[in-house]
Amino acid sequence: MPENTEVLVIGGGYAGVLAANRLTQRADVSVTLVNPRPSFVERIRLHQLVAGTHTAVVDYSQVLAEDVRLVVDTVTRIDTVGRGVALAAGGTVGYDYLIYAVGSGSADPHVPGAAEFAYPVSSLEDAQRLRTVLDSASAKAAVTVVGAGPSGIETAAELAERGHGVTLVCGGVLGPYLHPRGRRSVAGRLAGLGVTVLEGPDAKVTAVTRAAVRLGDGRELPSEVTVWTAGFGVPDLAARSGLSTDALGRLLTDETLTSVDDARIVAAGDAAAPSDLPFRMSCQAATRIGAHAADTVLSRIAGGQPVPINLGFFGQCISLGRRAGIFQFASKDDTATKLYLGGRPGSKLKELVCQVTVKHLANEARKPGSLTWVRDDKRGQLLRARHGEAPAASGQAA
């Protein structure tokens, strides 16, 4: 009897869990998931953990297929020649195929004092640390949130709703993804919560101290607690392992999500850069990319030719405290439209999205291969325009 094909998934976030579950469609595939934590982190709820309105943690027994072996450890290096990975605790895990789903975290701010005095919220440990700091801060402590993407907006709103005096420093425009109509709705809600929003070219942080934030125009804002949400980075595992990456460190792949260096390695989620044209970092994209990564591996195992990814979007949802939110609708190519749903209905839809995202993982564990998604042909058109022809897929694994 032939031996099982060993597939190793690095990273137990949205993309990694979906991919691991989907791989269990074949009885002759053994799946191992390596993750540094013993529980699944709902990253899209970390701002709630900071404010004390949610734990942002789900037991893996609720979202991971029983047939997937969970190894709680950190991968320190990928050996592409020996087809194995080194673990921080010692030892190695071998593989026939590897899915690289290491996710993303806070980017190095490159701003004097930010690393020492500002608190990121991109990981479970970051959020737990910040919550402890806020719990010990004075009730009237000045809080500055740096960065006006979804994480910054959600964190600012959540903390303001709980009585903190919050200033949101945008470093540009509030909610860059949003349509102007949706942006005005968000600005109105933040104003109602008492959040001071600083926009424009002068609203860029140039330095952070223990008690203040300095802006580009020379202003200095008192800040007992500074929260840093500006920008995301990815782990450097791929680069350290000698694999090709983009400028941010995401694994470079073809449109099937296969590494440009190794047909045995497939990328998923925030750490994937297909055709050096990565999708927007989001759980919406991560689960679908994770599913496609699994399909690519399963196709190779079956001796077939993987197909290019085809992924469409619905939009972006942002919570604005516990009583309001916004769902910004978008075209399938992820371009925001004039349509949005705000207020209490927006809040309910955001909560539903959070719940359904976890449900997708659980459903895939029970019925692997069940997740489907919206398609969009504009990406293919863009790539053909850029290269003059459709990108070629990597060759079959040897």
Side-chain angles (χ1 to χ4, degrees), residues 106-127:
S106 296
D108 186 344
H110 297 296
V111 171
E116 295 84 0
F117 303 115
Y119 298 89
V121 292
S122 61
S123 73
L124 178 67
E125 293 76 16
D126 289 339

Side-chain angles (χ1 to χ4, degrees), residues 3-365:
E3 294 183 358
N4 280 6
T5 300
E6 300 286 342
V7 183
L8 175 64
V9 181
I10 306 177
Y14 296 102
V17 169
L18 200 295
N21 289 343
R22 199 173 182 90
L23 288 165
T24 63
Q25 292 177 78
R26 289 184 63 114
D28 60 348
V29 173
S30 297
V31 185
T32 299
L33 176 69
V34 180
N35 190 65
R37 303 176 191 86
S39 299
F40 176 78
V41 177
E42 288 190 80
R43 182 168 173 177
I44 56 178
R45 290 192 187 272
L46 287 178
H47 61 286
Q48 290 185 253
L49 172 59
V50 168
T53 60
H54 202 280
T55 63
V57 172
V58 176
D59 193 275
Y60 270 121
S61 64
Q62 299 181 41
V63 296
L64 194 62
E66 292 182 359
D67 292 340
V68 176
R69 180 170 72 106
L70 175 64
V71 175
V72 181
D73 209 329
T74 300
V75 174
T76 58
R77 189 172 181 83
I78 301 169
D79 177 6
T80 58
V81 176
R83 291 183 191 162
V85 301
L87 301 178
T92 61
V93 178
Y95 66 85
D96 295 307
Y97 291 91
L98 183 149
I99 292 183
Y100 186 82
V102 297
S104 61
S106 296
D108 186 344
H110 297 296
V111 171
E116 295 84 0
F117 303 115
Y119 298 89
V121 292
S122 61
S123 73
L124 178 67
E125 293 76 16
D126 289 339
Q128 290 171 333
R129 179 181 174 220
L130 177 55
R131 181 176 176 181
T132 299
V133 169
L134 288 166
D135 285 346
S136 62
S138 64
K140 296 183 179 181
V143 177
T144 302
V145 178
V146 181
S151 294
I153 293 170
E154 291 183 326
T155 302
E158 202 82 24
L159 295 180
E161 195 172 66
R162 262 135 202 86
H164 292 283
V166 180
T167 298
L168 179 60
V169 180
C170 298
V173 66
L174 175 69
Y177 177 90
L178 300 172
H179 186 276
R181 292 181 62 188
R183 186 173 298 119
R184 286 193 292 271
S185 176
V186 170
R189 170 61 178 171
L190 291 175
L193 290 170
V195 177
T196 299
V197 177
L198 302 180
E199 295 184 88
D202 291 332
K204 293 185 178 180
V205 176
T206 58
V208 181
T209 67
R210 191 179 302 276
V213 167
R214 189 172 302 121
L215 303 182
D217 60 1
R219 282 180 293 172
E220 193 164 282
L221 309 176
S223 182
E224 186 173 330
V225 180
T226 300
V227 183
W228 197 274
T229 71
F232 286 99
V234 298
D236 64 351
L237 176 61
R240 282 190 284 111
S241 301
L243 295 166
S244 297
T245 66
D246 70 357
L248 194 63
R250 291 172 286 214
L251 185 68
L252 283 176
T253 77
D254 65 11
E255 283 295 285
T256 73
L257 304 179
T258 303
S259 165
V260 297
D261 303 309
D262 191 330
R264 296 275 179 169
I265 298 178
V266 178
D270 290 352
S275 302
D276 202 12
L277 187 66
F279 294 97
R280 173 170 57 87
M281 292 181 175
S282 66
C283 68
Q284 179 182 177
T287 52
R288 278 71 176 172
I289 299 173
H292 191 89
D295 290 347
T296 290
V297 171
L298 291 172
S299 178
R300 292 196 185 282
I301 293 172
Q305 178 60 45
V307 299
I309 189 168
N310 190 325
L311 172 61
F313 288 80
F314 294 105
Q316 185 181 86
C317 52
I318 301 174
S319 66
L320 299 168
R322 295 299 86 211
R323 296 184 292 275
I326 182 172
F327 189 93
Q328 170 66 71
F329 289 92
S331 301
K332 289 189 292 184
D333 67 353
D334 206 26
T335 301
T337 69
K338 293 181 179 180
L339 299 177
Y340 71 90
L341 184 67
R344 186 63 174 168
S347 175
K348 290 182 177 180
L349 184 53
K350 163 69 174 184
E351 177 60 27
L352 178 63
V353 167
C354 292
Q355 294 175 7
V356 168
T357 301
V358 173
K359 186 178 180 181
H360 281 325
L361 302 178
N363 287 346
E364 195 72 20

